[in-house]
Amino acid sequence: MGEKGVCCGWGCRELVLLGLLLGMTTAVVALSVVMLTEDAAETTPDPVTTPPPTVPPHSFRIGVGRADVTGPVGDVPLMGYASLDQTAGGIHFRLFSRAFIVDDGASRVVFVSADIGMVSQRLRLEVLNALKEKYGDQYNQANVVLSGTHTHSGLAGYFQYTLFMITSKGYIKSSIEPIVNGIVKSIEMAHTSMRPGRIFMSKGEVEESNLNRSPQSYMNNPEEERQKYKSNTDKEMVVLKFTDINGDGMGMLSWFAVHPVSMNYTNRMVSGDNLGYASYLFEQERNLNALPGEGSFVAAFASSNLGDVSPNTRGPYCVNTFEKCDYLNSSCPIGGTKMCVGFGPGDNMFESTRIIGDHIYRKGKELYGNAGQELNGSVHGAHQWVNMTDVTVQINSTHTATTCKPALGHSFAAGTTDGGGDLNFTQGAVEGDPFWDGIRDALLGAPSNETQDCHEPKPILFNTGEMNWPLPWHPAIVDVQLITIGSLAIVATPGEATTMAGRRLREVVKQELQSKGGFSKAEVVIAGLCNIYTHYITTYEEYQVQRYEAASTIYGPHTLSAYLQHFGGLARAIAEGKEAEVPQGPEPPFFSDKQLFSLLPNNPVDKKPASTNFGDVLEQVYPVYKVGEVASVTFVAGNPRNSGNMTDNTFVTVERFHNSTRTWTLVHTDASWETRFHWLKGSGGLSNTTVEWHIPTAAQTGIYRIRHFGHYKQRKGITGSTILPYNGTSDEFKVTKTYWSRATG
Ligand SMILES: *[C@@H]1O[C@H](CO)[C@@H](O)[C@H](O)[C@H]1NC(C)=O
Ligand SMILES: *[C@@H]1O[C@H](CO)[C@@H](O)[C@H](O)[C@H]1NC(C)=O
Ligand SMILES: *[C@@H]1O[C@H](CO)[C@@H](O)[C@H](O)[C@H]1NC(C)=O
Ligand SMILES: *[C@@H]1O[C@H](CO)[C@@H](O)[C@H](O)[C@H]1NC(C)=O
Ligand SMILES: *[C@@H]1O[C@H](CO)[C@@H](O)[C@H](O)[C@H]1NC(C)=O
Ligand SMILES: *[C@@H]1O[C@H](CO)[C@@H](O)[C@H](O)[C@H]1NC(C)=O
Ligand SMILES: *[C@@H]1O[C@H](CO)[C@@H](O)[C@H](O)[C@H]1NC(C)=O
Ligand SMILES: *[C@@H]1O[C@H](CO)[C@@H](O)[C@H](O)[C@H]1NC(C)=O
Ligand SMILES: *[C@@H]1O[C@H](CO)[C@@H](O)[C@H](O)[C@H]1NC(C)=O
Ligand SMILES: *[C@@H]1O[C@H](CO)[C@@H](O)[C@H](O)[C@H]1NC(C)=O
Ligand SMILES: *[C@@H]1O[C@H](CO)[C@@H](O)[C@H](O)[C@H]1NC(C)=O
């Protein structure tokens, strides 16, 4: 399999037949089934008694919390571009879960935004199980929303449906555990920090930070609908400001529609991408003198209707010939889809991440500063499980239609201009290709006529809804959920809604809420990548064009209509105060750990070059750096997977010497934007770590050193192994403001 991945949002190149299908028949037969202990099921919950509310009128009790969800940063594939070769190798900056709880005295709601690709149904069920053990029914299906920022540089491995397990190298216990623990811990921290407070809202436009990557699909929406909006992406950011009763800031929560794919598929370091960086900047500013990830102020930049929205603002062009890509199929005359790549605004992915993250942060800060519209009243939560494979929708006064069993179309394999597929698929395919269809039929069997007809005009590539071995390839039972905080409604979308799909959802929810007296002026936001991943949600009209987003709208052309019906129903229930009466719907499966499989082999024992030790320096720092330069040191290393639980810990430190006390103080960790921890895997168990410190121009001059902490695996006895810690330290070096002629050595 080649070097690069595919797409954004979720694509697939490897996924495409070759790797996948060949892999399927052989690999899955030989899959190493992870034997895991059964859950300690159904212990009697230990309900926490809430103190009687002593809330002053028109205020809420609110709590905020943040916790690390980074996970094992070696070998595990990154989640997003669906490239099995894009495996983790270190940390750009750490990932966090950020939780917000609002209680009106009678009910409460929880919103979590985590720096992960998306929330999976498995992840949500595991989090809810853990919350139930701690808090009984206080936190439940209806009042907890879990949303992923959609960074494409978080770890995979936390899914239970077969397609996602294949692109994740299976269900990886060491990958899902830190995410579950981090999300639960962030909620716990919010729970214990609860106190009377107030919430203010504000809105504004973020300029020059997103563009539509499928404008030809957008243009297929009705003209009179398009005329209601001035742009083919939503520019608006909505910000909530949380303060305590004295007006002191506790946190901010915002939504803005952009794909966190500023870091492209060549990146191996775990990263929060543009939205994660915006949170980082906001929290660093508010939590004075705190290291990243510490401090009580929590700032979340959550995902929204980003389905067709790219951060690569210079747009796509052919990287080989510098021509424009074909407008309709995003293909290049030479090299096809793969050569058509979106870039900008920076000259490399780190710069692009920094610029987009900075734009988003600045607008968030401005809106936080002027947030004046107070949210008051009550909070509500409504949730339902829906069998999305056969929802009947009314398409006009005389006709109905239904949603379909899940399937992915040919254009899914083309990827997007944020990361194209390797094979000769192109976006906009409304006809199958005999070559690929032949391979599909031979390996997987042809899709039924019923499913093909249902998905028209999508030519089906992966007939996932009719593939159930060893487990269903895609979900049938999907979470729909809506929560409200005063006049604000948060639509928890189970995937990636496009710009126009998001607008229609907001409209319907708003109308339903306002149709009853309770909500005279509702504001509606779309929260993306919530609760379960079902790929994309396009409008019916966009679906006809069959670009990547439409090919990935897995329940067919009426997917959005079905959601409009169900989210509208939840809004009506809340407006009528009948959310408790919403039928729960069919429960989704929770496959036992024994049914899930892992394709990630155990890592071998670590080796080191002759006459070295783990932690020894292979390439030393220079003696002097000027601010703005990059200090770099390479150590003999072990696989970071050995390090098990590095939650709230660090692989890297940058330390500054204090002459008066003869001590070193911590300046940066691996959670810092300024440090890059690259783990490079060699052959036969050899590996090394290069730590870079991108010295900020504001750095204090003085004497510094860089340290690296890790663990290596050693053979013990004949078959056993043991894991031991190591550390390494660079030479001391000087940072100056003026020195610049270091020359070359
Ligand atoms: C893309 O469309 C152009 C015409 O718009 C066509 O010439 C080209 O062959 C198409 N490319 C592929 C790979 O289908
Ligand atoms: C990804 O980013 C790297 C570094 O910024 C750049 O060199 C490369 O061309 C980019 N590749 C793609 C396909 O975007
Ligand atoms: C809620 O806020 C609105 C405007 O911010 C205000 O007009 C209204 O009186 C408030 N209601 C309550 C119950 O405080
Ligand atoms: C969903 O609906 C389909 C079609 O009615 C049905 O065959 C299937 O069993 C349902 N799935 C679940 C998990 O209830
Ligand atoms: C309703 O939709 C069907 C199917 O698209 C179409 O055949 C029919 O003419 C439509 N009826 C009305 C009243 O628009
Ligand atoms: C893709 O490649 C296969 C094999 O080379 C070929 O048979 C098929 O026609 C190609 N499809 C397109 C759309 O170019
Ligand atoms: C599917 O449709 C094709 C032609 O439309 C027909 O030849 C074939 O028999 C159908 N298959 C089944 C299983 O009904
Ligand atoms: C990992 O370490 C953190 C911080 O030391 C601790 O809170 C957490 O419980 C640990 N998790 C596991 C699974 O050991
Ligand atoms: C550091 O402190 C020692 C005494 O502890 C002193 O001799 C030396 O000059 C100091 N160096 C600098 C650079 O200040
Ligand atoms: C670090 O490991 C990589 C991958 O094996 C290798 O290419 C590189 O030369 C190593 N660096 C050093 C300084 O040994
Ligand atoms: C670093 O490693 C040395 C040698 O194994 C050990 O003595 C020391 O405690 C370690 N330091 C830290 C901070 O872990």
Side-chain angles (χ1 to χ4, degrees):
M1 298 195 205
E3 164 66 32
K4 284 141 216 150
V6 180
C7 21
C8 154
W10 215 79
C12 70
R13 170 196 56 133
E14 265 87 2
L15 221 183
V16 172
L17 303 168
L18 288 181
L20 206 180
L21 302 185
L22 299 178
M24 257 320 279
T25 28
T26 51
V28 178
V29 173
L31 63 163
S32 47
V33 176
V34 235
M35 302 297 288
L36 299 151
T37 48
E38 284 291 322
D39 274 12
E42 301 302 307
T43 46
T44 327
D46 171 26
V48 171
T49 47
T50 342
T54 52
V55 190
H58 317 317
S59 79
F60 296 116
R61 282 172 57 79
I62 58 188
V64 302
R66 175 197 331 96
D68 189 345
V69 293
T70 305
V73 297
D75 294 339
V76 177
L78 301 187
M79 187 66 209
Y81 295 108
S83 165
L84 289 175
D85 297 326
Q86 194 201 11
T87 52
I91 299 179
H92 179 216
F93 56 102
R94 269 185 191 265
L95 309 179
F96 295 97
S97 167
R98 297 176 170 91
F100 300 80
I101 305 181
V102 183
D103 190 311
D104 65 7
S107 332
R108 61 178 56 185
V109 290
V110 183
F111 186 88
V112 173
S113 173
D115 292 325
I116 57 176
M118 61 284 289
V119 173
S120 72
Q121 192 167 60
R122 179 73 185 193
L123 178 60
R124 174 172 165 89
L125 292 171
E126 291 198 19
V127 166
L128 286 168
N129 286 345
L131 289 172
K132 196 178 177 87
E133 275 190 29
K134 283 205 162 79
Y135 300 103
D137 288 332
Q138 188 165 26
Y139 299 113
N140 55 52
Q141 288 295 348
N143 70 1
V144 176
V145 173
L146 306 180
S147 169
T149 60
H150 204 39
T151 173
H152 280 42
S153 299
L155 300 181
Y158 55 94
F159 300 81
Q160 68 172 4
Y161 295 101
T162 303
L163 183 76
F164 308 127
M165 277 196 275
I166 290 173
T167 59
S168 290
K169 297 194 180 161
Y171 173 82
I172 303 168
K173 199 83 181 163
S174 61
S175 185
I176 187 168
E177 252 173 14
I179 305 178
V180 172
N181 293 345
I183 291 175
V184 170
K185 187 170 169 193
S186 66
I187 294 173
E188 262 174 56
M189 291 169 84
H191 178 91
T192 47
S193 77
M194 286 185 78
R195 53 186 185 273
R198 303 170 70 180
I199 305 170
F200 302 89
M201 183 169 62
S202 159
K203 295 182 287 182
E205 297 200 343
V206 187
E207 295 302 332
E208 292 170 14
S209 298
N210 66 18
L211 60 76
N212 195 306
R213 68 185 186 191
S214 284
Q216 48 287 67
S217 304
Y218 180 89
M219 287 303 288
N220 212 39
N221 290 309
E223 191 181 352
E224 72 267 21
E225 183 182 35
R226 283 185 282 113
Q227 275 170 355
K228 292 197 282 183
Y229 305 96
K230 64 177 189 213
S231 171
N232 63 5
T233 59
D234 282 335
K235 305 289 181 191
E236 188 165 87
M237 174 187 277
V238 175
V239 165
L240 299 185
K241 172 180 181 171
F242 292 73
T243 74
D244 66 14
I245 211 71
N246 303 316
D248 288 332
M250 293 173 68
M252 78 84 79
L253 169 58
S254 69
W255 292 270
F256 176 63
V258 70
H259 252 81
V261 291
S262 291
M263 298 297 283
N264 68 38
Y265 57 67
T266 67
N267 171 49
R268 296 293 189 89
M269 287 181 293
V270 163
S271 173
D273 209 286
N274 47 37
L275 291 178
Y277 183 53
S279 286
Y280 175 95
L281 289 172
F282 208 116
E283 290 178 352
Q284 282 299 96
E285 183 195 287
R286 300 288 309 192
N287 296 315
L288 280 180
N289 304 319
L291 286 166
E294 295 176 4
S296 63
F297 191 93
V298 178
F301 288 85
S303 64
S304 191
N305 51 329
L306 49 61
D308 49 359
V309 188
S310 169
N312 296 315
T313 52
R314 278 187 215 160
Y317 62 87
C318 299
V319 288
N320 47 356
T321 60
F322 298 99
E323 289 164 88
K324 279 199 145 151
C325 311
D326 182 79
Y327 177 71
L328 291 176
N329 58 25
S330 296
S331 172
C332 293
I334 301 168
T337 299
K338 193 74 188 170
M339 291 300 134
C340 173
V341 182
F343 284 97
D347 289 335
N348 61 56
M349 60 183 164
F350 297 97
E351 268 304 288
S352 296
T353 302
R354 190 187 61 72
I355 295 168
I356 298 293
D358 190 63
H359 286 175
I360 294 170
Y361 151 73
R362 279 171 198 276
K363 182 55 70 175
K365 183 179 163 185
E366 177 196 319
L367 294 173
Y368 180 87
N370 67 24
Q373 188 190 339
E374 183 161 13
L375 296 183
N376 54 31
S378 51
V379 303
H380 300 272
H383 171 274
Q384 191 171 41
W385 281 304
V386 175
N387 185 342
M388 274 298 289
T389 69
D390 71 341
V391 178
T392 302
V393 300
Q394 192 77 38
I395 50 174
N396 59 29
S397 55
T398 53
H399 282 67
T400 60
T402 66
T403 54
C404 317
K405 287 182 189 165
L408 290 161
H410 275 241
S411 300
F412 165 75
T416 70
T417 54
D418 295 327
D422 275 346
L423 302 171
N424 63 352
F425 293 90
T426 51
Q427 294 197 68
V430 289
E431 267 165 43
D433 178 319
F435 177 78
W436 292 117
D437 288 348
I439 292 182
R440 175 202 64 194
D441 294 353
L443 288 167
L444 301 171
S448 67
N449 284 353
E450 182 203 350
T451 297
Q452 287 192 46
D453 294 346
C454 188
H455 281 271
E456 272 287 312
K458 177 197 285 175
I460 293 176
L461 180 63
F462 290 118
N463 177 31
T464 51
E466 294 174 344
M467 288 154 67
N468 292 300
W469 189 84
L471 290 172
W473 280 51
H474 262 149
I477 310 300
V478 174
D479 296 75
V480 294
Q481 187 183 15
L482 181 70
I483 60 172
T484 61
I485 303 172
S487 58
L488 176 74
I490 301 168
V491 181
T493 53
E496 311 180 46
T498 59
T499 301
M500 198 61 99
R503 288 168 178 169
R504 290 188 194 171
L505 277 165
R506 288 201 300 258
E507 251 342 279
V508 161
V509 167
K510 187 174 181 151
Q511 273 171 19
E512 291 294 347
L513 287 174
Q514 294 185 168
S515 68
K516 310 289 164 198
F519 291 80
S520 58
K521 237 180 125 243
E523 184 71 40
V524 185
V525 293
I526 301 294
L529 290 307
C530 291
N531 299 341
I532 173 175
Y533 189 56
T534 64
H535 303 251
Y536 284 73
I537 304 161
T538 63
T539 66
Y540 177 83
E541 293 82 357
E542 290 162 353
Y543 187 91
Q544 306 309 312
V545 182
Q546 280 298 307
R547 279 177 60 86
Y548 173 76
E549 295 81 11
S552 310
T553 295
I554 61 175
Y555 302 108
H558 302 291
T559 300
L560 175 61
S561 303
Y563 286 132
L564 292 174
Q565 220 164 272
H566 281 281
F567 282 108
L570 296 183
R572 205 174 319 125
I574 287 178
E576 292 173 348
K578 292 185 180 161
E579 66 256 36
E581 291 164 33
V582 171
Q584 177 184 275
E587 224 173 294
F590 184 86
F591 300 114
S592 83
D593 286 350
K594 287 190 191 118
Q595 292 172 279
L596 304 171
F597 56 87
S598 170
L599 303 169
L600 183 71
N602 283 333
N603 54 314
V605 293
D606 291 290
K607 297 279 171 52
K608 55 194 172 59
S611 66
T612 64
N613 283 311
F614 292 100
D616 281 1
V617 172
L618 289 167
E619 271 176 22
Q620 196 52 268
V621 290
Y622 293 120
V624 186
Y625 293 91
K626 183 178 180 278
V627 294
E629 289 184 329
V630 180
S632 171
V633 53
T634 301
F635 300 95
V636 178
N639 189 326
R641 276 171 73 190
N642 297 326
S643 294
N645 184 11
M646 287 294 271
T647 301
D648 297 329
N649 206 331
T650 184
F651 286 98
V652 168
T653 60
V654 175
E655 301 172 11
R656 182 166 176 270
F657 188 62
H658 288 264
N659 195 35
S660 54
T661 55
R662 319 294 302 166
T663 54
W664 292 91
T665 55
L666 191 54
V667 179
H668 296 297
T669 65
D670 63 16
S672 303
W673 171 264
E674 291 83 356
T675 58
R676 291 181 197 167
F677 159 45
H678 296 273
W679 176 64
L680 280 179
K681 184 174 183 164
S683 52
L686 280 171
S687 70
N688 59 52
T689 283
T690 296
V691 181
E692 288 175 12
W693 177 29
H694 292 245
I695 307 170
T697 47
Q700 277 185 287
T701 58
I703 305 294
Y704 287 84
R705 68 180 184 188
I706 293 172
R707 304 193 73 192
H708 165 51
F709 302 85
H711 294 79
Y712 64 97
K713 190 190 267 188
Q714 213 181 34
R715 198 164 299 294
K716 188 182 180 193
I718 294 166
T719 53
S721 62
T722 181
I723 285 175
L724 296 166
Y726 70 85
N727 61 67
T729 306
S730 75
D731 282 352
E732 295 172 13
F733 56 93
K734 198 176 194 171
V735 170
T736 71
K737 294 278 182 199
T738 50
Y739 182 84
W740 57 274
S741 61
R742 185 169 32 23
T744 46

